[in-house]
């Protein structure tokens, strides 16, 4: 196996991963056991077999996740869990790829289950809880999604999220403060939902307690936090890979004055939920902070950022969404 060329090694690893995913469809004990064996066979290909497998898995998650069936989603999460248990190199990067599948405006059961699973993996694996980018990215995503989880059916998830945010603020604020202005911006989004009055609802009281914790831990550093520029990786983490691919396609491929039909399709596909304003907020943050066209693109006559931002703002459903 050590004499195989890089191309042959990649083919073998890809075949083992594909077979491991496929054999799990029947979900019998025999299939699951054989699927696990196939995954562990990857280490026999060459010393860098798992490194190659993680690179392939990252590509699958970032490009194919919306197209995959639930059984494959479950198997990919199993791969992630096994990789964390083995403390494989770059496994934190793979975890970050999964995090970006928790998109804005999506309160469906698969999205909720994915968030719960990733929270559990973070809490049970030191390799993640001590990883600065993983910690800040998860905190950012949970904070952004929490404002969408106010429905009664999501009470359990909301309580889990608030408990996670509170614990991280109390025990890990030094790391979270590296997010700079982003952490303050995320906390400000909770103020409309908080209330400390006597007749406050349980939800309002929970948000109020969370804000009190933030005010306590940040009281001596808020000036420094507000002067610290936010890293671009955290606004980028708030939109899914699919959203990023479509929005960059707009900016790089669609000529100006020919974008109307593409925008209508985009609005129908992504901006027709009850949480449209949250999606627009995160998309505009991405366009402002993460997408910087070069001179060649600016001269190419494609849809400019200001045009797309204006069109997104006009799609907001509420004045509060526009102000955010």
């Amino acid at each position: 196996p050590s004499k195989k060329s890089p191309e042959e090694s990649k083919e073998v690893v890809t075949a083992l991963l594909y077979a491991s995913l496929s054999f799990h469809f029947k979900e019998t004990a025999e299939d699951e056991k054989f699927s696990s064996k196939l995954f562990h066979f990857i280490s026999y290909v060459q010393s860098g077999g798992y490194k190659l497998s993680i690179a392939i898995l990252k590509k699958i998650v970032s490009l194919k996740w919306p197209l995959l069936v639930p059984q494959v989603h479950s198997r990919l999460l199993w791969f992630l869990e096994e990789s964390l248990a083995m403390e494989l190199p770059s496994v934190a990067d793979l975890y970050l790829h999964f995090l970006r599948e928790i998109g804005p405006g999506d309160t469906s059961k698969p999205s909720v289950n994915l968030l719960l699973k990733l929270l559990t993996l973070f809490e049970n694996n030191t390799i993640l809880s001590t990883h600065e980018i993983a910690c800040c990215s998860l905190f950012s995503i949970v904070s952004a999604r929490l404002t969408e989880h106010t429905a009664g059916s999501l009470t359990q998830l909301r309580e889990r999220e608030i408990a996670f945010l509170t614990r991280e603020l109390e025990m890990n604020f030094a790391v979270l403060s590296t997010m700079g202005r982003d952490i303050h911006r995320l906390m400000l989004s909770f103020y409309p939902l908080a209330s400390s009055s006597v007749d406050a609802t349980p939800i309002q009281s929970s948000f109020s307690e969370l804000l009190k914790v933030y005010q306590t831990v940040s009281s001596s550093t808020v000036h420094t936090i507000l002067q610290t520029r936010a890293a671009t990786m955290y606004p980028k983490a708030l939109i899914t890979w699919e959203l990023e691919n479509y929005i960059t396609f707009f900016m790089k491929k669609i000529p100006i004055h020919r974008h109307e039909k593409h925008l209508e399709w985009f609005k129908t596909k992504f901006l027709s939920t009850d949480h449209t304003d949250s999606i627009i907020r995160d998309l505009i943050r991405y366009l402002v902070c993460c997408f910087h066209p070069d001179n060649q693109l600016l001269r190419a006559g494609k849809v400019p950022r200001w045009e797309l931002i204006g069109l997104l703002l006009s799609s907001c459903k509420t004045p509060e969404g526009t102000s955010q």
Side-chain angles (χ1 to χ4, degrees), residues 3 161 198 230 297:
K3 296 181 180 180
E161 290 172 324
V198 177
L297 184 59

Side-chain angles (χ1 to χ4, degrees), residues 65 70 73-74 77 102 106-121 149 154 156-157 160:
W65 182 269
H73 287 170
S74 299
L77 286 167
I102 305 171
D106 187 0
T107 57
S108 63
K109 186 175 181 179
S111 181
V112 168
N113 290 339
L114 176 61
L115 177 52
L116 288 171
K117 179 65 174 179
L118 294 177
L119 270 172
T120 300
L121 290 176
H149 298 159
L154 300 174
Q156 184 179 0
L157 172 62
R160 178 85 179 274

Side-chain angles (χ1 to χ4, degrees), residues 116-265:
L116 288 171
K117 179 65 174 179
L118 294 177
L119 270 172
T120 300
L121 290 176
F122 180 86
E123 293 166 349
N124 295 339
N125 290 274
T126 308
I127 193 173
L128 293 178
S129 58
T130 57
H131 191 281
E132 179 180 315
I133 297 177
C135 177
C136 293
S137 296
L138 181 58
F139 186 92
S140 179
I141 289 170
V142 171
S143 299
R145 301 290 85 84
L146 178 56
T147 57
E148 303 167 5
H149 298 159
T150 55
S153 59
L154 300 174
T155 300
Q156 184 179 0
L157 172 62
R158 183 173 62 252
E159 292 175 350
R160 178 85 179 274
E161 290 172 324
I162 291 177
F164 165 77
L165 296 177
T166 302
R167 183 175 63 253
E168 290 299 307
L169 285 172
E170 292 176 338
M171 302 180 63
N172 213 12
F173 186 71
V175 172
L176 296 177
S177 62
T178 61
M179 294 170 62
R181 290 188 287 267
D182 256 11
I183 188 172
H184 195 71
R185 185 180 293 109
L186 290 166
M187 293 296 109
L188 285 177
S189 66
F190 296 149
Y191 274 94
L193 300 171
S195 175
S196 57
S197 62
V198 177
D199 57 346
T201 65
I203 294 178
Q204 292 173 325
S205 299
S206 298
F207 280 107
S208 181
E209 291 299 320
L210 178 60
L211 288 171
K212 286 179 182 178
V213 172
Y214 173 68
Q215 290 167 358
T216 301
V217 298
S218 66
S219 58
S220 61
T221 58
V222 65
H223 183 68
T224 303
I225 289 173
L226 292 175
Q227 288 184 324
T228 304
R229 185 177 179 180
T232 58
M233 68 184 76
Y234 302 124
K236 183 181 288 189
L238 296 181
I239 67 170
T240 63
W241 293 102
E242 185 181 26
L243 271 172
E244 182 179 18
N245 291 336
Y246 279 123
I247 209 73
T248 52
F249 175 79
F250 264 108
M251 310 293 287
K252 294 181 178 180
K253 301 295 183 181
I254 305 301
I256 189 66
H257 306 311
R258 295 185 182 178
H259 61 279
E260 289 83 1
K261 65 177 182 180
H262 297 280
L263 181 66
E264 287 303 317
W265 174 87

